[in-house]
Structures are given as structure tokens and as C-alpha cells.
Amino acid sequence: LRRPALSLARTYSLHSSRLLSTLAVLESSAPSYSVLSAAAKVGGPLTVLLAGSNAASAAESVAKFDGVEKVLTASSGAYDHALAENYAPLIVENVKAGGYTHVFAPASAFGKNVLPRASALLDSQQISDIIDVTSADTFVRPIYAGNVILTVKSNDPIKLITVRSSAFPEPAPGSNAAPIESAVDPNAPSSTEFVSEDLTVSERPDLGSAKKVVSGGRGLKDKENFDKIMYPLADALGAAVGASRAAVDSGFADNSLQVGQTGKVVAPDLYVAVGISGAIQHLAGMKDSKTIVAINKDADAPIFEVADAGLVADLFEAVPELTEKLKK
Ligand code: FAD
């Protein structure tokens, strides 16, 4: 891997004074448009790369966003499951062809999978999970579960960056009509093959992007209570359901619902924490929510330190009552 990577990096360092330009790599099945807001902060033209069987239809939507100069598509089934072994050469070849100075991708399972491999091939130090762009070479990212905010400057000629989507606004589609062109498709041979995936399917709003989230913790005592209390509350609010790790580990909720340092990071308009103490690892996943409501019987629970509205009450009485009132 290293030999071509080094020569590519050297090629780019010769041209490091050229103008900025960004390639945003989005997942064509579920594009995270917040990445476009982050990339726009760098300045310079913005090209979007979409790959997979449905890249062409995703491109129609992406081309409408203001600020997008061009959309590149690689309409091949080889990219459908975002295997890093296939995707990384695609990114590298398009960076090489387009001479981009920046490559942005979401800090989602997709970006965390494909971008490190592309970074290695380009011999560049990836900058992960940024929450702000200070300048074209300086970025802000949390470490230690959000307890320390780091400002990092990169001297790499090509900067590969993953973006925490919840930290940037989701732009509304504009009236742009960016040209859609074919990407350079290396059709790289791969020794990795997609076999199958086992996904949790839900009719409810997606936890990662929902505007409202209600999360339950160990205070619910068991799975039956979790289902009986949290889902009617979620339905009354039109919210996604989340859970603390203690609730997940105790089998109250599926592990795809975990919010926190080792779960999903969410920043909805409304986050309701029910029977959750507010451990630092949980706060790392939700403290940037716009309005936080906590219901806990312990007035000293740390969740109240981050809550905008708190109710010290027994959840088994308060939540069903709240649900009934919301339904009316
Ligand atoms: P508890 O801390 O047990 O709190 C339960 C709360 O319910 C209490 O505050 C109690 O007062 C309240 N309660 C009880 N009964 C009632 C009632 N009848 N009415 C109202 N309130 C009631 N945790 C996460 O959530 N997400 C993570 O991603 C995560 N990652 C971790 C990573 C590491 C490396 C480590 C070490 C820990 C991690 N944890 C994570 C675990 C975290 O430290 C806590 O243990 C966990 O968040 C506690 O969950 P909880 O608040 O539901 O349970």
C-alpha cells in the first residue's frame, strides 16, 4: 500500500500552494447533507462523490444544494455495501484526478469505515469527528468523550476529515443544478466480498437524525416496563427511542438504540431522559441536544446539571401521565 501512496503525497506537496477544493464523499443510500455545511466552511469549490447502484438518483438530489459545483457518480454495484477495500481506491483515484486539497465524509459507520483506508493510501493523517472548521487547515474535534475540545492544525497536503453530522446544520436543498458527471472508476480488484447484513428495521424515526428522542435508563427496571412506558411516550411525541448503556446491557433495549460514548451521538431539538442518571459517558452522546428534559426520582442525579427542564418524580407515575396529556 505504501509505495504508490508516498509518490502520490509527494506529487501533491509540489502543488500545495494551489487553490483549495473539496471532495465530499457521501453515502448514496443515506446522504448526510450536514457534511456539505462543514465542507462549505473550508471555502473553494465543492464536488460531491456518490457511488453505488443508486448513485444516479442520489445525485439528482445532491445537485440541488447551493454551493455544490459538481457531482461525480460511480454507478456500480461494487460500492453498494461500502466495502472499504473497494471504496478507498475510488476515493484515491478521484482525488488524484481532481487535485482536491480536502476530502470530507460523515463520521458515521460509512465514513469511519472507508476514510481511514483512503487516508492510508494517500499517506495522510485523518482528522476524525470534527465539530467545527476554524480555517482551511485547522479543525475542532472532541476527545475523551467530549470532555476536552481539541483544535488541530494539519500540514498534510491533502486533508481527509470525518464530520460529526450533529454539529453542523443540515442545509435545505436550493435551486442549484450542479452538473453530474461520471467519477473515475478504478474497478479495483478486491479480495473482500459482501456476504450479508442483519439490520434492525424500525418504523420509528431514525435515532441518529430524529428531531426528538426519548431515552430510557436502568430506572425502568425491566424490558416490559421499557416497552410499556417509552414507546407510547415516543409515539405521543413522534420521537425516536434511545437508551442508556445500562438499559441496553440489561436487555431492555436493542444495542442499536444506545446513546453515548460507545453508542450513537445525537443532538436533537428535544431529548427526554427517563430514569437515566447522567453518567459522563451518556452525556457524551446527548449533551448537545437543544432542549434536554430529565425525569428522575433522585434530585441529585447528574442529568439535572445538563437539563433545561427537570422533573423530580417517580417515572412510573409521571411518564404515563405525561403521555396521556401529550396525546390530548
Ligand atoms: P443508572 O446510573 O443506574 O441510573 C438509573 C437512574 O434511574 C438513577 O438516577 C435513578 O435515580 C433513576 N431511577 C430509578 N428508579 C426510578 C424511578 N422509579 N423513577 C425515576 N427515576 C428512577 N453509558 C451510556 O449510557 N452510553 C454509553 O455509550 C456508555 N459508554 C460507556 C463506555 C465506557 C468505557 C464505560 C466505562 C461506561 C459507559 N457507559 C455508557 C455506562 C455509564 O457509565 C453508566 O453506567 C450508564 O450510563 C448508566 O445508565 P443509567 O443512567 O440508565 O443507569
Side-chain angles (χ1 to χ4, degrees):
L1 289 180
R2 283 191 75 80
R3 213 171 285 134
L6 281 171
S7 61
L8 181 61
R10 231 177 273 128
T11 311
Y12 279 96
S13 65
L14 294 174
H15 301 285
S16 57
S17 61
R18 76 198 188 291
L19 291 173
L20 305 169
S21 62
T22 298
L23 182 69
V25 184
L26 302 187
E27 194 173 7
S28 52
S29 55
S32 168
Y33 297 123
S34 320
V35 172
L36 304 179
S37 304
K41 291 188 90 171
V42 171
L46 173 61
T47 301
V48 177
L49 174 64
L50 293 162
S53 311
N54 56 354
S57 60
E60 300 284 336
S61 310
V62 172
K64 295 199 176 93
F65 285 88
D66 290 331
V68 174
E69 201 193 63
K70 194 176 8 171
V71 184
L72 297 175
T73 58
S75 298
S76 158
Y79 303 113
D80 277 353
H81 300 285
L83 296 176
E85 291 81 354
N86 296 355
Y87 238 97
L90 174 72
I91 295 171
V92 170
E93 289 310 314
N94 282 280
V95 168
K96 224 195 285 190
Y100 303 100
T101 53
H102 293 71
V103 181
F104 275 63
S108 58
F110 166 77
K112 287 177 187 171
N113 184 29
V114 300
L115 216 62
R117 198 174 178 95
S119 302
L121 289 167
L122 291 165
D123 201 29
S124 177
Q125 171 69 56
Q126 180 177 307
I127 305 155
S128 301
D129 205 18
I130 65 157
I131 55 170
D132 202 4
V133 176
T134 307
S135 71
D137 62 7
T138 308
F139 308 90
V140 181
R141 61 181 296 257
I143 58 167
Y144 301 134
N147 289 309
V148 175
I149 303 297
L150 208 63
T151 300
V152 286
K153 183 174 176 192
S154 165
N155 293 326
D156 280 333
I158 306 168
K159 299 176 202 345
L160 292 100
I161 292 157
T162 61
V163 175
R164 182 175 291 198
S165 297
S166 59
F168 293 89
E170 178 138 334
S175 51
N176 192 13
I180 299 170
E181 296 174 11
S182 292
V184 179
D185 189 345
N187 282 316
S190 170
S191 54
T192 306
E193 188 189 336
F194 173 81
V195 178
S196 69
E197 65 188 348
D198 193 1
L199 289 179
T200 307
V201 183
S202 169
E203 302 276 289
R204 292 168 193 284
D206 171 57
L207 179 59
S209 56
K211 299 271 177 247
K212 295 174 191 166
V213 173
V214 296
S215 279
R218 182 147 45 197
L220 283 142
K221 309 260 186 292
D222 59 32
K223 178 170 168 42
E224 201 187 333
N225 288 329
F226 190 99
D227 292 349
K228 201 170 69 191
I229 290 185
M230 297 309 296
Y231 288 98
L233 175 64
D235 290 340
L237 280 167
V241 175
S244 71
R245 174 152 156 189
V248 168
D249 287 352
S250 310
F252 305 177
D254 188 79
N255 127 333
S256 62
L257 302 189
Q258 184 174 316
V259 172
Q261 181 187 336
T262 42
K264 297 210 164 99
V265 177
V266 299
D269 293 341
L270 175 67
Y271 187 88
V272 184
V274 176
I276 291 179
S277 60
I280 194 93
Q281 297 89 354
H282 187 79
L283 301 187
M286 46 62 74
K287 67 176 166 18
D288 293 329
S289 305
K290 313 271 177 313
T291 301
I292 298 172
V293 175
I295 302 171
N296 196 303
K297 68 176 183 187
D298 175 8
D300 294 325
I303 191 77
F304 288 123
E305 286 166 27
V306 297
D308 300 287
L311 180 62
V312 179
D314 184 338
L315 71 90
F316 294 103
E317 289 167 17
V319 178
E321 195 182 328
L322 175 65
T323 304
E324 280 315 306
K325 292 211 164 117
L326 284 167
K327 279 203 228 158
K328 285 179 194 151

